[in-house]
Amino acid sequence: MTTMRDIAKLSKVSVSTVSRVLSGKGRVSAEKRNEIIKLANQFHYIPNYHAKCMTKTGVITVGLVVPDISNPFFSKITMGIEAELRDNALLILMNSFRDIEREKRLSLLLRDNGARGIIIGNSHVEDDFVFEISKYIPVVVFDKEYNLPNISTIKLDNVYGAYLATNHLIEIGCPSVVHFGGFDDLDVSIQRREGYKKALRKGMQPYVIPTGYDERSGYEKAKKILPSKKFGGAFCMNDLVAIGVLKAAKEMGIRVPEDLKIIGFDDTELCEVVTPPLSSIHQPIEEMGRAAARALLKMIEGEESTRSYLFSPSLIVRSSTLSIRGDQDAKEEVR
């Protein structure tokens, strides 16, 4: 399938110039106009919905596929994307419910029904599938880097973030630290496990418990693991898992932070509403969403074909890892 981008490359003009010529609008020299039309005919270019979805006001349609919209992380990502797009694009949000086949179907549905670009909210989708989608429209992916045209990546330094969390637990006196982690199907899970292991001191044994990504999974694994072995600290894959571990600890009479210190990852609003308030690794989530939207728009406009954006985490200390007398809401940021 020949695209306007292909014609633009061959005629050495911008995609917007090709669009103006094929739509009969805008000022373009007769020589260049004839060249573009000749190329379009030669390569059998057929205008389709993708070419028509730009309206008179310049509004385009873009798609966002997330694995779990109930997770506050993805809600904030969506808010950042929408804030950046404003009135320049219509965002179609689709929830895959962590079903990889559904995620593929939704991405294809977006591609085939007029989306000018797609943002994929995690690194779960196979590389070959992402590459196939990118042949037709630009793609932005979170947490997985592709050195390929038409694909941009939004990443957090997850290894460093996990290191910060685990090192904090060790520095405040935890003799052993358990990691309630994700599964190997996500790069982010592998990276956070790596950071956890890097922080362990000589002689400390790693305890990695494959858990999942929601509150229930954290709760169920903690109910099974915590009675069998005493840990000083728990580093959790995300805030939802940490809240599940916190709930299980309370039910078993394990005091937090006196008996067990717990830290999450993401620093969502939920950290402030649980008791005790939850320490967490902060991600600039909304800014990451904004960066994803900017990257997608730039690729749609033909300004760049690929780019990687790396964000840095920071440690937010609250009462789940630090006993603060008389002030359960105290918070400290450590960079």
Side-chain angles (χ1 to χ4, degrees), residues 238-265:
N238 61 27
D239 293 339
L240 290 178
V241 171
I243 290 170
V245 174
L246 176 62
K247 179 182 178 182
K250 287 182 176 180
E251 289 185 5
M252 291 183 285
I254 299 173
R255 298 172 302 167
V256 178
E258 291 84 359
D259 302 324
L260 177 68
K261 293 173 172 56
I262 302 174
I263 185 168
F265 205 112

Side-chain angles (χ1 to χ4, degrees), residues 86-289:
R86 295 183 180 275
D87 298 327
N88 296 318
L90 173 65
L91 181 68
I92 299 177
L93 173 63
M94 292 186 167
N95 185 13
S96 70
F97 301 99
R98 295 197 181 276
D99 180 339
I100 184 62
E101 292 305 319
R102 175 178 167 82
E103 199 154 313
K104 289 180 181 179
R105 291 196 300 272
L106 293 177
S107 298
L108 290 172
L109 187 65
L110 288 165
R111 183 198 71 180
D112 297 339
N113 286 274
R116 293 287 298 277
I118 296 178
I119 300 172
I120 299 176
N122 67 14
S123 59
H124 198 190
V125 181
E126 292 100 330
D127 295 350
D128 289 345
F129 182 78
V130 173
F131 177 60
E132 183 63 27
I133 291 287
S134 72
K135 290 179 181 179
Y136 300 91
I137 54 177
V139 181
V140 176
V141 181
F142 278 81
D143 293 318
K144 195 167 188 178
E145 187 163 1
Y146 298 85
N147 188 22
L148 294 169
N150 227 26
I151 305 174
S152 288
T153 302
I154 307 298
K155 298 191 303 178
L156 183 83
D157 191 341
N158 284 292
V159 174
Y160 179 57
Y163 178 91
L164 280 177
T166 309
N167 186 64
H168 168 62
L169 293 172
I170 295 170
E171 286 190 337
I172 59 177
C174 297
S176 59
V177 178
V178 59
H179 175 39
F180 291 95
F183 303 114
D184 286 350
D185 59 346
L186 287 183
D187 282 12
V188 64
S189 301
I190 297 170
Q191 293 160 8
R192 291 179 189 177
R193 183 173 66 232
E194 180 185 346
Y196 158 75
K197 290 182 176 180
K198 278 188 175 183
L200 297 178
R201 305 293 194 266
K202 186 176 181 180
M204 294 184 71
Q205 183 178 348
Y207 295 93
V208 179
I209 311 299
T211 303
Y213 309 100
D214 58 14
E215 181 180 344
R216 181 177 179 180
S217 62
Y219 172 82
E220 291 177 347
K221 284 298 177 74
K223 292 283 279 189
K224 291 180 180 179
I225 299 301
L226 294 183
S228 62
K229 183 172 178 60
K230 184 177 180 180
F231 295 100
F235 163 48
C236 302
M237 171 68 192
N238 61 27
D239 293 339
L240 290 178
V241 171
I243 290 170
V245 174
L246 176 62
K247 179 182 178 182
K250 287 182 176 180
E251 289 185 5
M252 291 183 285
I254 299 173
R255 298 172 302 167
V256 178
E258 291 84 359
D259 302 324
L260 177 68
K261 293 173 172 56
I262 302 174
I263 185 168
F265 205 112
D266 290 339
D267 191 34
T268 59
E269 288 86 350
L270 295 175
C271 295
E272 299 278 7
V273 299
V274 295
T275 303
L278 183 67
S279 294
S280 188
I281 296 301
H282 176 76
Q283 295 197 61
I285 303 175
E286 286 197 40
E287 181 51 39
M288 292 166 70

